[in-house]
PDB file of all heavy atoms in Angstrom:
ATOM      1  N   GLY A   1       0.814  -1.255   0.031  1.00  0.00           N
ATOM      2  CA  GLY A   1       0.022   0.000   0.013  1.00  0.00           C
ATOM      3  C   GLY A   1       0.796   1.245   0.007  1.00  0.00           C
ATOM      4  O   GLY A   1       0.520   2.166  -0.707  1.00  0.00           O
ATOM      5  N   ALA A   2       1.878   1.229   0.778  1.00  0.00           N
ATOM      6  CA  ALA A   2       2.800   2.411   0.854  1.00  0.00           C
ATOM      7  C   ALA A   2       3.471   2.669  -0.439  1.00  0.00           C
ATOM      8  O   ALA A   2       3.642   3.823  -0.851  1.00  0.00           O
ATOM      9  CB  ALA A   2       3.810   2.199   1.984  1.00  0.00           C
ATOM     10  N   LEU A   3       3.970   1.582  -1.142  1.00  0.00           N
ATOM     11  CA  LEU A   3       4.642   1.778  -2.383  1.00  0.00           C
ATOM     12  C   LEU A   3       3.629   2.259  -3.517  1.00  0.00           C
ATOM     13  O   LEU A   3       4.072   3.114  -4.291  1.00  0.00           O
ATOM     14  CB  LEU A   3       5.233   0.465  -2.866  1.00  0.00           C
ATOM     15  CG  LEU A   3       6.459  -0.086  -2.020  1.00  0.00           C
ATOM     16  CD1 LEU A   3       6.869  -1.430  -2.534  1.00  0.00           C
ATOM     17  CD2 LEU A   3       7.656   0.922  -2.117  1.00  0.00           C
ATOM     18  N   VAL A   4       2.471   1.701  -3.520  1.00  0.00           N
ATOM     19  CA  VAL A   4       1.498   2.206  -4.508  1.00  0.00           C
ATOM     20  C   VAL A   4       1.223   3.716  -4.309  1.00  0.00           C
ATOM     21  O   VAL A   4       1.208   4.533  -5.211  1.00  0.00           O
ATOM     22  CB  VAL A   4       0.220   1.395  -4.428  1.00  0.00           C
ATOM     23  CG1 VAL A   4      -0.961   2.056  -5.208  1.00  0.00           C
ATOM     24  CG2 VAL A   4       0.435   0.018  -4.977  1.00  0.00           C
ATOM     25  N   GLY A   5       1.019   4.138  -3.060  1.00  0.00           N
ATOM     26  CA  GLY A   5       0.687   5.503  -2.749  1.00  0.00           C
ATOM     27  C   GLY A   5       1.890   6.465  -3.140  1.00  0.00           C
ATOM     28  O   GLY A   5       1.633   7.453  -3.755  1.00  0.00           O
ATOM     29  N   SER A   6       3.050   6.014  -2.772  1.00  0.00           N
ATOM     30  CA  SER A   6       4.252   6.916  -3.065  1.00  0.00           C
ATOM     31  C   SER A   6       4.472   7.010  -4.612  1.00  0.00           C
ATOM     32  O   SER A   6       4.781   8.084  -5.037  1.00  0.00           O
ATOM     33  CB  SER A   6       5.478   6.362  -2.341  1.00  0.00           C
ATOM     34  OG  SER A   6       5.809   5.068  -2.730  1.00  0.00           O
ATOM     35  N   LYS A   7       4.291   5.869  -5.335  1.00  0.00           N
ATOM     36  CA  LYS A   7       4.427   5.979  -6.771  1.00  0.00           C
ATOM     37  C   LYS A   7       3.396   6.786  -7.416  1.00  0.00           C
ATOM     38  O   LYS A   7       3.695   7.460  -8.480  1.00  0.00           O
ATOM     39  CB  LYS A   7       4.369   4.562  -7.367  1.00  0.00           C
ATOM     40  CG  LYS A   7       5.538   3.543  -6.910  1.00  0.00           C
ATOM     41  CD  LYS A   7       6.824   3.837  -7.712  1.00  0.00           C
ATOM     42  CE  LYS A   7       7.825   2.796  -7.363  1.00  0.00           C
ATOM     43  NZ  LYS A   7       9.107   2.957  -8.077  1.00  0.00           N
ATOM     44  N   LEU A   8       2.182   6.841  -6.955  1.00  0.00           N
ATOM     45  CA  LEU A   8       1.103   7.591  -7.499  1.00  0.00           C
ATOM     46  C   LEU A   8       1.021   9.003  -6.935  1.00  0.00           C
ATOM     47  O   LEU A   8       0.136   9.789  -7.174  1.00  0.00           O
ATOM     48  CB  LEU A   8      -0.241   6.911  -7.270  1.00  0.00           C
ATOM     49  CG  LEU A   8      -0.431   5.644  -8.022  1.00  0.00           C
ATOM     50  CD1 LEU A   8      -1.842   5.032  -7.644  1.00  0.00           C
ATOM     51  CD2 LEU A   8      -0.385   5.792  -9.547  1.00  0.00           C
ATOM     52  N   LYS A   9       2.050   9.320  -6.076  1.00  0.00           N
ATOM     53  CA  LYS A   9       2.159  10.725  -5.430  1.00  0.00           C
ATOM     54  C   LYS A   9       0.977  11.078  -4.545  1.00  0.00           C
ATOM     55  O   LYS A   9       0.517  12.149  -4.594  1.00  0.00           O
ATOM     56  CB  LYS A   9       2.406  11.774  -6.492  1.00  0.00           C
ATOM     57  CG  LYS A   9       3.712  11.589  -7.240  1.00  0.00           C
ATOM     58  CD  LYS A   9       4.047  12.682  -8.262  1.00  0.00           C
ATOM     59  CE  LYS A   9       5.440  12.654  -8.805  1.00  0.00           C
ATOM     60  NZ  LYS A   9       5.913  11.388  -9.233  1.00  0.00           N
ATOM     61  N   ILE A  10       0.435  10.008  -3.876  1.00  0.00           N
ATOM     62  CA  ILE A  10      -0.639  10.205  -2.923  1.00  0.00           C
ATOM     63  C   ILE A  10      -0.046  10.032  -1.543  1.00  0.00           C
ATOM     64  O   ILE A  10       0.683   9.056  -1.345  1.00  0.00           O
ATOM     65  CB  ILE A  10      -1.780   9.151  -3.148  1.00  0.00           C
ATOM     66  CG1 ILE A  10      -2.432   9.457  -4.475  1.00  0.00           C
ATOM     67  CG2 ILE A  10      -2.812   9.357  -2.044  1.00  0.00           C
ATOM     68  CD1 ILE A  10      -3.403   8.336  -4.916  1.00  0.00           C
ATOM     69  N   PRO A  11      -0.262  10.993  -0.596  1.00  0.00           N
ATOM     70  CA  PRO A  11       0.412  10.963   0.720  1.00  0.00           C
ATOM     71  C   PRO A  11      -0.013   9.592   1.381  1.00  0.00           C
ATOM     72  O   PRO A  11      -1.214   9.244   1.368  1.00  0.00           O
ATOM     73  CB  PRO A  11      -0.179  12.115   1.361  1.00  0.00           C
ATOM     74  CG  PRO A  11      -0.574  13.045   0.394  1.00  0.00           C
ATOM     75  CD  PRO A  11      -1.005  12.206  -0.760  1.00  0.00           C
ATOM     76  N   VAL A  12       0.984   9.014   2.107  1.00  0.00           N
ATOM     77  CA  VAL A  12       0.806   7.753   2.848  1.00  0.00           C
ATOM     78  C   VAL A  12       0.864   8.024   4.339  1.00  0.00           C
ATOM     79  O   VAL A  12       1.800   8.785   4.762  1.00  0.00           O
ATOM     80  CB  VAL A  12       1.852   6.636   2.380  1.00  0.00           C
ATOM     81  CG1 VAL A  12       1.599   5.425   3.323  1.00  0.00           C
ATOM     82  CG2 VAL A  12       1.619   6.327   0.967  1.00  0.00           C
ATOM     83  N   ALA A  13      -0.083   7.527   5.097  1.00  0.00           N
ATOM     84  CA  ALA A  13      -0.036   7.634   6.517  1.00  0.00           C
ATOM     85  C   ALA A  13       0.150   6.258   7.084  1.00  0.00           C
ATOM     86  O   ALA A  13      -0.526   5.375   6.737  1.00  0.00           O
ATOM     87  CB  ALA A  13      -1.337   8.284   7.085  1.00  0.00           C
ATOM     88  N   HIS A  14       1.135   6.113   8.086  1.00  0.00           N
ATOM     89  CA  HIS A  14       1.499   4.831   8.640  1.00  0.00           C
ATOM     90  C   HIS A  14       1.169   4.875  10.094  1.00  0.00           C
ATOM     91  O   HIS A  14       1.742   5.528  10.881  1.00  0.00           O
ATOM     92  CB  HIS A  14       3.007   4.518   8.418  1.00  0.00           C
ATOM     93  CG  HIS A  14       3.392   3.215   8.790  1.00  0.00           C
ATOM     94  ND1 HIS A  14       4.740   2.917   9.103  1.00  0.00           N
ATOM     95  CD2 HIS A  14       2.675   2.039   9.066  1.00  0.00           C
ATOM     96  CE1 HIS A  14       4.823   1.576   9.469  1.00  0.00           C
ATOM     97  NE2 HIS A  14       3.543   1.110   9.449  1.00  0.00           N
ATOM     98  N   VAL A  15       0.230   3.970  10.498  1.00  0.00           N
ATOM     99  CA  VAL A  15      -0.079   3.713  11.868  1.00  0.00           C
ATOM    100  C   VAL A  15       0.865   2.706  12.500  1.00  0.00           C
ATOM    101  O   VAL A  15       0.951   1.616  11.869  1.00  0.00           O
ATOM    102  CB  VAL A  15      -1.557   3.341  12.066  1.00  0.00           C
ATOM    103  CG1 VAL A  15      -1.933   2.919  13.481  1.00  0.00           C
ATOM    104  CG2 VAL A  15      -2.525   4.480  11.590  1.00  0.00           C
ATOM    105  N   GLU A  16       1.461   2.950  13.547  1.00  0.00           N
ATOM    106  CA  GLU A  16       2.439   2.153  14.198  1.00  0.00           C
ATOM    107  C   GLU A  16       3.890   2.271  13.503  1.00  0.00           C
ATOM    108  O   GLU A  16       4.510   1.304  13.314  1.00  0.00           O
ATOM    109  CB  GLU A  16       2.026   0.646  14.229  1.00  0.00           C
ATOM    110  CG  GLU A  16       2.563  -0.131  15.441  1.00  0.00           C
ATOM    111  CD  GLU A  16       1.971  -1.577  15.429  1.00  0.00           C
ATOM    112  OE1 GLU A  16       2.532  -2.556  14.741  1.00  0.00           O
ATOM    113  OE2 GLU A  16       1.039  -1.736  16.124  1.00  0.00           O
ATOM    114  N   ALA A  17       4.177   3.501  13.273  1.00  0.00           N
ATOM    115  CA  ALA A  17       5.435   3.808  12.563  1.00  0.00           C
ATOM    116  C   ALA A  17       6.561   3.858  13.674  1.00  0.00           C
ATOM    117  O   ALA A  17       6.343   4.040  14.855  1.00  0.00           O
ATOM    118  CB  ALA A  17       5.329   5.222  11.967  1.00  0.00           C
ATOM    119  N   GLY A  18       7.792   3.635  13.165  1.00  0.00           N
ATOM    120  CA  GLY A  18       8.997   3.791  14.054  1.00  0.00           C
ATOM    121  C   GLY A  18       9.382   2.587  14.904  1.00  0.00           C
ATOM    122  O   GLY A  18      10.352   2.623  15.636  1.00  0.00           O
ATOM    123  N   ILE A  19       8.674   1.514  14.744  1.00  0.00           N
ATOM    124  CA  ILE A  19       9.001   0.242  15.496  1.00  0.00           C
ATOM    125  C   ILE A  19      10.273  -0.338  14.887  1.00  0.00           C
ATOM    126  O   ILE A  19      10.260  -0.456  13.613  1.00  0.00           O
ATOM    127  CB  ILE A  19       7.937  -0.761  15.473  1.00  0.00           C
ATOM    128  CG1 ILE A  19       6.571  -0.088  16.057  1.00  0.00           C
ATOM    129  CG2 ILE A  19       8.239  -2.008  16.233  1.00  0.00           C
ATOM    130  CD1 ILE A  19       6.700   0.442  17.374  1.00  0.00           C
ATOM    131  N   ARG A  20      11.239  -0.686  15.621  1.00  0.00           N
ATOM    132  CA  ARG A  20      12.478  -1.289  15.066  1.00  0.00           C
ATOM    133  C   ARG A  20      12.868  -2.537  15.923  1.00  0.00           C
ATOM    134  O   ARG A  20      12.678  -2.541  17.124  1.00  0.00           O
ATOM    135  CB  ARG A  20      13.632  -0.295  15.015  1.00  0.00           C
ATOM    136  CG  ARG A  20      13.364   0.962  14.100  1.00  0.00           C
ATOM    137  CD  ARG A  20      13.350   0.448  12.633  1.00  0.00           C
ATOM    138  NE  ARG A  20      13.148   1.558  11.744  1.00  0.00           N
ATOM    139  CZ  ARG A  20      11.954   1.962  11.266  1.00  0.00           C
ATOM    140  NH1 ARG A  20      10.871   1.329  11.603  1.00  0.00           N
ATOM    141  NH2 ARG A  20      11.932   2.934  10.339  1.00  0.00           N
ATOM    142  N   GLN A  21      13.339  -3.557  15.248  1.00  0.00           N
ATOM    143  CA  GLN A  21      13.710  -4.802  15.797  1.00  0.00           C
ATOM    144  C   GLN A  21      14.728  -5.568  15.061  1.00  0.00           C
ATOM    145  O   GLN A  21      14.753  -5.607  13.843  1.00  0.00           O
ATOM    146  CB  GLN A  21      12.337  -5.674  15.942  1.00  0.00           C
ATOM    147  CG  GLN A  21      12.498  -7.006  16.666  1.00  0.00           C
ATOM    148  CD  GLN A  21      11.229  -7.796  16.716  1.00  0.00           C
ATOM    149  OE1 GLN A  21      10.194  -7.297  16.229  1.00  0.00           O
ATOM    150  NE2 GLN A  21      11.279  -9.026  17.254  1.00  0.00           N
ATOM    151  N   LYS A  22      15.613  -6.226  15.785  1.00  0.00           N
ATOM    152  CA  LYS A  22      16.535  -7.128  15.161  1.00  0.00           C
ATOM    153  C   LYS A  22      15.971  -8.489  15.121  1.00  0.00           C
ATOM    154  O   LYS A  22      15.162  -8.873  15.991  1.00  0.00           O
ATOM    155  CB  LYS A  22      17.884  -7.202  16.000  1.00  0.00           C
ATOM    156  CG  LYS A  22      18.663  -5.848  16.026  1.00  0.00           C
ATOM    157  CD  LYS A  22      19.842  -5.967  16.887  1.00  0.00           C
ATOM    158  CE  LYS A  22      20.547  -4.516  16.916  1.00  0.00           C
ATOM    159  NZ  LYS A  22      21.648  -4.559  17.941  1.00  0.00           N
ATOM    160  N   PRO A  23      16.452  -9.420  14.104  1.00  0.00           N
ATOM    161  CA  PRO A  23      17.342  -9.143  13.082  1.00  0.00           C
ATOM    162  C   PRO A  23      16.782  -8.220  11.993  1.00  0.00           C
ATOM    163  O   PRO A  23      15.581  -8.234  11.725  1.00  0.00           O
ATOM    164  CB  PRO A  23      17.641 -10.451  12.470  1.00  0.00           C
ATOM    165  CG  PRO A  23      16.445 -11.280  12.756  1.00  0.00           C
ATOM    166  CD  PRO A  23      15.871 -10.734  14.065  1.00  0.00           C
ATOM    167  N   LYS A  24      17.659  -7.402  11.356  1.00  0.00           N
ATOM    168  CA  LYS A  24      17.216  -6.380  10.336  1.00  0.00           C
ATOM    169  C   LYS A  24      16.775  -7.076   9.106  1.00  0.00           C
ATOM    170  O   LYS A  24      16.089  -6.335   8.323  1.00  0.00           O
ATOM    171  CB  LYS A  24      18.345  -5.410  10.038  1.00  0.00           C
ATOM    172  CG  LYS A  24      18.974  -4.755  11.292  1.00  0.00           C
ATOM    173  CD  LYS A  24      17.946  -4.152  12.237  1.00  0.00           C
ATOM    174  CE  LYS A  24      17.446  -2.806  11.835  1.00  0.00           C
ATOM    175  NZ  LYS A  24      16.419  -2.243  12.780  1.00  0.00           N
ATOM    176  N   ASP A  25      17.035  -8.360   8.911  1.00  0.00           N
ATOM    177  CA  ASP A  25      16.614  -8.989   7.636  1.00  0.00           C
ATOM    178  C   ASP A  25      15.257  -9.682   7.753  1.00  0.00           C
ATOM    179  O   ASP A  25      14.901 -10.348   6.820  1.00  0.00           O
ATOM    180  CB  ASP A  25      17.720  -9.932   7.149  1.00  0.00           C
ATOM    181  CG  ASP A  25      17.977 -11.121   8.077  1.00  0.00           C
ATOM    182  OD1 ASP A  25      17.358 -11.110   9.193  1.00  0.00           O
ATOM    183  OD2 ASP A  25      18.736 -11.979   7.721  1.00  0.00           O
ATOM    184  N   MET A  26      14.590  -9.535   8.891  1.00  0.00           N
ATOM    185  CA  MET A  26      13.273 -10.278   9.035  1.00  0.00           C
ATOM    186  C   MET A  26      12.252  -9.473   8.211  1.00  0.00           C
ATOM    187  O   MET A  26      12.342  -8.248   8.094  1.00  0.00           O
ATOM    188  CB  MET A  26      12.913 -10.282  10.561  1.00  0.00           C
ATOM    189  CG  MET A  26      12.632  -9.024  11.224  1.00  0.00           C
ATOM    190  SD  MET A  26      12.388  -9.253  12.902  1.00  0.00           S
ATOM    191  CE  MET A  26      10.732  -9.911  13.102  1.00  0.00           C
ATOM    192  N   PRO A  27      11.303 -10.228   7.584  1.00  0.00           N
ATOM    193  CA  PRO A  27      10.365  -9.580   6.616  1.00  0.00           C
ATOM    194  C   PRO A  27       9.663  -8.357   7.239  1.00  0.00           C
ATOM    195  O   PRO A  27       9.467  -7.356   6.599  1.00  0.00           O
ATOM    196  CB  PRO A  27       9.379 -10.671   6.296  1.00  0.00           C
ATOM    197  CG  PRO A  27      10.192 -11.927   6.548  1.00  0.00           C
ATOM    198  CD  PRO A  27      11.104 -11.643   7.604  1.00  0.00           C
ATOM    199  N   GLU A  28       9.201  -8.574   8.506  1.00  0.00           N
ATOM    200  CA  GLU A  28       8.357  -7.431   9.135  1.00  0.00           C
ATOM    201  C   GLU A  28       9.312  -6.213   9.336  1.00  0.00           C
ATOM    202  O   GLU A  28       8.800  -5.057   9.179  1.00  0.00           O
ATOM    203  CB  GLU A  28       7.914  -7.833  10.562  1.00  0.00           C
ATOM    204  CG  GLU A  28       6.940  -9.034  10.500  1.00  0.00           C
ATOM    205  CD  GLU A  28       7.559 -10.430  10.458  1.00  0.00           C
ATOM    206  OE1 GLU A  28       8.845 -10.489  10.313  1.00  0.00           O
ATOM    207  OE2 GLU A  28       6.796 -11.376  10.539  1.00  0.00           O
ATOM    208  N   GLU A  29      10.548  -6.376   9.639  1.00  0.00           N
ATOM    209  CA  GLU A  29      11.451  -5.205   9.806  1.00  0.00           C
ATOM    210  C   GLU A  29      11.648  -4.471   8.488  1.00  0.00           C
ATOM    211  O   GLU A  29      11.668  -3.220   8.388  1.00  0.00           O
ATOM    212  CB  GLU A  29      12.774  -5.642  10.421  1.00  0.00           C
ATOM    213  CG  GLU A  29      13.777  -4.523  10.717  1.00  0.00           C
ATOM    214  CD  GLU A  29      13.385  -3.661  11.812  1.00  0.00           C
ATOM    215  OE1 GLU A  29      12.372  -3.942  12.548  1.00  0.00           O
ATOM    216  OE2 GLU A  29      14.128  -2.712  12.131  1.00  0.00           O
ATOM    217  N   ILE A  30      11.853  -5.268   7.429  1.00  0.00           N
ATOM    218  CA  ILE A  30      12.050  -4.672   6.033  1.00  0.00           C
ATOM    219  C   ILE A  30      10.767  -3.848   5.735  1.00  0.00           C
ATOM    220  O   ILE A  30      10.866  -2.716   5.185  1.00  0.00           O
ATOM    221  CB  ILE A  30      12.346  -5.789   5.026  1.00  0.00           C
ATOM    222  CG1 ILE A  30      13.672  -6.374   5.334  1.00  0.00           C
ATOM    223  CG2 ILE A  30      12.279  -5.227   3.590  1.00  0.00           C
ATOM    224  CD1 ILE A  30      13.944  -7.747   4.608  1.00  0.00           C
ATOM    225  N   ASN A  31       9.595  -4.428   5.948  1.00  0.00           N
ATOM    226  CA  ASN A  31       8.339  -3.773   5.642  1.00  0.00           C
ATOM    227  C   ASN A  31       8.190  -2.409   6.474  1.00  0.00           C
ATOM    228  O   ASN A  31       7.839  -1.464   5.868  1.00  0.00           O
ATOM    229  CB  ASN A  31       7.147  -4.640   5.923  1.00  0.00           C
ATOM    230  CG  ASN A  31       7.087  -5.878   5.035  1.00  0.00           C
ATOM    231  OD1 ASN A  31       7.707  -5.930   3.930  1.00  0.00           O
ATOM    232  ND2 ASN A  31       6.349  -6.903   5.352  1.00  0.00           N
ATOM    233  N   ARG A  32       8.546  -2.487   7.755  1.00  0.00           N
ATOM    234  CA  ARG A  32       8.479  -1.304   8.580  1.00  0.00           C
ATOM    235  C   ARG A  32       9.331  -0.205   8.018  1.00  0.00           C
ATOM    236  O   ARG A  32       8.903   0.983   7.902  1.00  0.00           O
ATOM    237  CB  ARG A  32       8.896  -1.590  10.009  1.00  0.00           C
ATOM    238  CG  ARG A  32       7.972  -2.487  10.808  1.00  0.00           C
ATOM    239  CD  ARG A  32       8.679  -2.822  12.174  1.00  0.00           C
ATOM    240  NE  ARG A  32       8.063  -3.804  12.858  1.00  0.00           N
ATOM    241  CZ  ARG A  32       8.643  -4.860  13.424  1.00  0.00           C
ATOM    242  NH1 ARG A  32       9.991  -4.942  13.489  1.00  0.00           N
ATOM    243  NH2 ARG A  32       7.995  -5.814  14.077  1.00  0.00           N
ATOM    244  N   VAL A  33      10.613  -0.479   7.881  1.00  0.00           N
ATOM    245  CA  VAL A  33      11.575   0.536   7.505  1.00  0.00           C
ATOM    246  C   VAL A  33      11.226   1.136   6.167  1.00  0.00           C
ATOM    247  O   VAL A  33      11.162   2.377   6.028  1.00  0.00           O
ATOM    248  CB  VAL A  33      13.042  -0.090   7.427  1.00  0.00           C
ATOM    249  CG1 VAL A  33      13.934   0.934   6.878  1.00  0.00           C
ATOM    250  CG2 VAL A  33      13.450  -0.484   8.844  1.00  0.00           C
ATOM    251  N   LEU A  34      10.999   0.307   5.159  1.00  0.00           N
ATOM    252  CA  LEU A  34      10.614   0.840   3.840  1.00  0.00           C
ATOM    253  C   LEU A  34       9.308   1.670   3.880  1.00  0.00           C
ATOM    254  O   LEU A  34       9.231   2.802   3.224  1.00  0.00           O
ATOM    255  CB  LEU A  34      10.487  -0.262   2.805  1.00  0.00           C
ATOM    256  CG  LEU A  34      11.798  -1.054   2.536  1.00  0.00           C
ATOM    257  CD1 LEU A  34      11.561  -2.156   1.514  1.00  0.00           C
ATOM    258  CD2 LEU A  34      12.838  -0.138   1.971  1.00  0.00           C
TER     259      LEU A  34
END
């Protein structure tokens, strides 16, 4: 959803932003950061 919004130049709002966790290569962490 975030990628579609950003590509179409529609502002994206993220609820539960800023959560960070190791390991950095886990799918959820990649999704959060991007």
Side-chain angles (χ1 to χ4, degrees):
L3 290 174
V4 168
S6 61
K7 295 280 187 181
L8 293 176
K9 296 183 169 51
I10 295 169
V12 175
H14 184 202
V15 172
E16 209 172 87
I19 305 302
R20 295 294 181 265
Q21 182 181 357
K22 294 176 183 175
K24 305 311 280 182
D25 61 354
M26 64 191 285
E28 295 85 354
E29 183 69 4
I30 294 165
N31 292 342
R32 290 175 194 136
V33 173
L34 294 177

